Amino acid sequence: MNSVFQHLPESVLTQILENAFQWFVVVDKDARILYINEDYCEFLEVSRTQAIGQPVEEVIENTKMHEVIKSGLADVASPHYIKGTYMLANRVPLIVDGEIVGAFGSVVFRDMTDWKKLSSHVRTTMDKIQMTSDNSEPKSYLEDIKGSSKAIRSIKETIQMIAPSDLSVLIEGESGTGKELFAQSIHEQSDRTDLPFVKINCAAIPAELLEEEIFGSYDESKNILRKGRFELADKGTLFIDEIGAMPLTIQAKLLRAIQEGEIEPIGSHISTQVSVRILAATNRPIEHLIEQGKFREDLYYRIQTITLRIPPLRERMEDFTELANTFLQQYILKAGKRRLVLASKTREYLQSYHWPGNVRELQNVIQAAVYLAEDEIIEPSVLPEQLKLARRKSLNQFVNLQDAIEDLERTMIQELLVDEKDKRVIAKQLGLSRSTLYEKIKKHNL
């Protein structure tokens, strides 16, 4: 092999280095840059002269090259967050005569959406030969939506009816209600389930970059086309989260894409035909944005053929026990603990809280409580301060002893009903007759 390279001119070796990978960098044993290709420098907005000789962490954000040198272990196909997006990178130690002399790093995928699309294709192929991929992205199905309240049952029934169609759906709900979970379940119930489910959050991307992210771009000087999320979702589903944050100029282009079934990347004059089902979500009433002149009325009527309104957790507290138990078991397993239960006082705190962060907040609170619990019972002491403060405020609202007694009575019966279905047992525990217990259950609307 050495003899082959000896016969290659330096200019040829340079061309091989420059073109073998999209972006790559070589560092010495002190993690200082020895070589970096021109395309990578252009992306990083630094000249090669400036980069060479510099510590790699000062040129490439969130790099792990120094960790690879220290451990001597390759870091392959690892997500790398850089300049506001995730990429997929390889980092390999360079070893000469048993000694680590540096490391080589390359970017395999410059856009994780490209990886996800390829990954989806690979998983489909592997399924055909009865194999599974450990890297498959977890999917969300209708049964993953927990709750048996009337509102949730109604939404699930609606999803089952509309999922097989190509109707656009607008999902309304406060932050933390799980709008993406509902969107994913629609996709998985549809005829597009084996095709891409592509997401974009309009509130998470700067306005000046959002148009390119959605519709893609074309660099005429380099003849390079970067696909946007709309084209990546072709034949599948595009989920536009926080659509209310989308600027009016982009709304006009989105409306045209939906109406005509074609998109035009920035810098290109050639349209591309696409077939995409649109699912959108918002935590702000679109009608109010229309009144304020911040949202196009014609686009609104295009995306809300069907509207799903996800109720906040405080309006469906009958689902609380199922949700809490689901998260509890999930994190007990993840934390590697054998058994954990919520103390009755802890459950009381949780049930009396107003949950402004909704299901997501409940999930985060239980996750933290599982890890903070010192024994098999989760006591109120491990709960966040805002829950304890809210509980103290609720107790201070009573103006007389009778109100406090009524609240305590209701809480005790409610907790017993969660753990015990036999009303005779509950009546005995409370020292009441069954008829008196039934009267109190009716009185407190339990």
Side-chain angles (χ1 to χ4, degrees):
M1 181 64 75
N2 288 336
S3 61
V4 173
F5 286 121
Q6 287 172 1
H7 291 88
L8 290 175
E10 184 178 339
S11 60
V12 173
L13 289 173
T14 301
Q15 288 182 56
I16 293 172
L17 282 173
E18 289 293 316
N19 296 287
F21 301 92
Q22 290 182 330
W23 297 334
F24 76 93
V25 62
V26 181
V27 300
D28 63 18
K29 63 181 181 180
D30 297 317
R32 290 184 176 273
I33 296 176
L34 293 173
Y35 192 93
I36 183 169
N37 71 329
E38 195 63 49
D39 279 353
Y40 206 176
C41 288
E42 186 175 330
F43 169 75
L44 295 169
E45 298 178 333
V46 62
S47 71
R48 182 144 53 183
T49 304
Q50 291 173 319
I52 291 177
Q54 294 295 314
V56 67
E57 65 268 20
E58 292 183 11
V59 178
I60 304 173
E61 63 177 305
N62 300 319
T63 183
K64 294 183 180 178
M65 298 288 280
H66 54 290
E67 295 178 12
V68 168
I69 294 170
K70 185 177 180 180
S71 68
L73 300 174
D75 186 26
V76 179
S78 175
H80 185 173
Y81 188 74
I82 181 169
K83 295 186 76 171
T85 188
Y86 276 102
M87 302 172 181
L88 209 61
N90 288 339
R91 306 173 187 92
V92 182
L94 300 176
I95 302 174
V96 176
D97 296 329
E99 181 183 350
I100 298 173
V101 297
F104 172 84
S106 63
V107 173
V108 185
F109 284 94
R110 293 185 293 185
D111 190 330
M112 287 295 286
T113 54
D114 287 339
W115 161 245
K116 288 175 183 176
K117 192 171 183 180
L118 176 63
S119 179
S120 176
H121 173 72
V122 171
R123 289 198 303 273
T124 301
T125 304
M126 296 294 274
D127 286 341
K128 290 179 181 178
I129 57 173
Q130 296 182 332
M131 295 180 70
T132 58
S133 170
D134 292 336
N135 295 324
S136 60
E137 185 177 344
K139 296 181 179 181
S140 298
Y141 300 92
L142 199 61
E143 54 267 29
D144 294 323
I145 300 173
K146 301 302 178 184
S148 54
S149 61
K150 183 178 179 181
I152 295 302
R153 290 202 311 270
S154 177
I155 291 171
K156 287 183 177 181
E157 290 168 3
T158 302
I159 287 175
Q160 288 178 318
M161 289 188 287
I162 65 172
S165 72
D166 282 335
L167 294 173
S168 298
V169 181
L170 178 64
I171 305 172
E172 296 181 344
E174 295 178 7
S175 295
T177 49
K179 297 184 289 295
E180 184 179 326
L181 176 61
F182 288 89
Q184 286 183 325
S185 67
I186 293 172
H187 174 74
E188 296 305 330
Q189 289 278 118
S190 74
D191 296 335
R192 299 173 183 249
T193 181
D194 294 325
L195 297 161
F197 177 80
V198 179
K199 302 174 286 187
I200 186 164
N201 188 319
C202 298
I205 301 173
E208 62 271 16
L209 301 178
L210 186 58
E211 182 178 359
E212 180 180 350
E213 199 63 39
I214 295 175
F215 300 105
S217 61
Y218 175 67
D219 188 334
E220 188 174 4
S221 63
K222 295 184 178 180
N223 193 30
I224 295 175
L225 175 67
R226 180 182 180 276
K227 293 183 179 181
R229 306 289 177 93
F230 213 109
E231 189 172 356
L232 291 172
D234 189 27
K235 305 295 189 299
T237 302
L238 177 62
F239 174 52
I240 307 175
D241 201 2
E242 303 300 351
I243 194 170
M246 181 182 288
L248 284 167
T249 51
I250 304 179
Q251 291 178 30
K253 193 167 182 177
L254 176 62
L255 177 63
R256 178 178 176 272
I258 295 173
Q259 288 177 331
E260 301 181 15
E262 61 182 31
I263 54 105
E264 193 173 286
I266 296 173
S268 172
H269 301 294
I270 300 174
S271 297
T272 302
Q273 292 291 320
V274 288
S275 170
V276 174
R277 183 183 192 175
I278 300 293
L279 305 178
T282 178
N283 64 1
R284 295 181 288 173
I286 298 294
E287 295 94 331
H288 294 174
L289 296 177
I290 293 172
E291 291 172 2
Q292 298 167 10
K294 295 179 180 179
F295 203 89
R296 294 179 62 107
E297 191 170 7
D298 47 4
L299 176 60
Y300 173 61
Y301 291 122
R302 274 284 177 179
I303 62 173
Q304 61 86 248
T305 309
I306 298 291
T307 299
L308 296 180
R309 290 183 174 86
I310 314 303
L313 179 55
R314 63 183 173 276
E315 292 181 9
R316 59 175 183 115
M317 286 301 286
E318 58 265 53
D319 294 330
F320 173 85
T321 299
E322 183 179 353
L323 288 166
N325 289 341
T326 298
F327 296 142
L328 185 61
Q329 295 308 314
Q330 174 186 337
Y331 291 115
I332 287 173
L333 185 64
K334 187 170 288 188
K337 298 193 175 185
R338 295 181 61 185
R339 182 177 180 270
L340 271 179
V341 295
L342 294 170
S344 59
K345 197 69 175 176
T346 305
R347 191 178 291 273
E348 183 182 321
Y349 273 65
L350 296 175
Q351 288 180 319
S352 63
Y353 186 56
H354 63 292
W355 298 108
N358 293 293
V359 177
R360 186 189 299 130
E361 186 181 11
L362 172 63
Q363 184 175 5
N364 291 340
V365 166
I366 290 182
Q367 180 182 15
V370 166
Y371 283 92
L372 292 172
E374 295 182 355
D375 46 38
E376 293 187 347
I377 301 176
I378 299 176
E379 299 289 353
S381 58
V382 302
L383 296 178
E385 194 59 37
Q386 71 265 23
L387 268 79
K388 300 174 189 175
L389 181 62
R391 180 62 181 167
R392 287 195 292 269
K393 286 181 178 179
S394 67
L395 291 174
N396 290 336
Q397 71 182 338
F398 299 112
V399 295
N400 58 53
L401 180 61
Q402 186 58 41
D403 288 340
I405 292 173
E406 291 283 335
D407 184 65
L408 177 60
E409 181 180 86
R410 181 185 187 281
T411 300
M412 289 180 65
I413 296 174
Q414 187 176 39
E415 289 181 1
L416 288 170
L417 286 169
V418 168
D419 300 323
E420 179 60 64
K421 302 304 179 186
D422 192 332
K423 304 295 192 302
R424 291 175 300 177
V425 174
I426 295 174
K428 186 175 181 179
Q429 287 177 314
L430 293 173
L432 303 174
S433 66
R434 274 191 291 169
S435 59
T436 302
L437 174 62
Y438 280 111
E439 287 175 6
K440 292 185 180 295
I441 289 174
K442 184 178 180 181
K443 169 186 170 184
H444 294 299
N445 197 25
L446 299 174

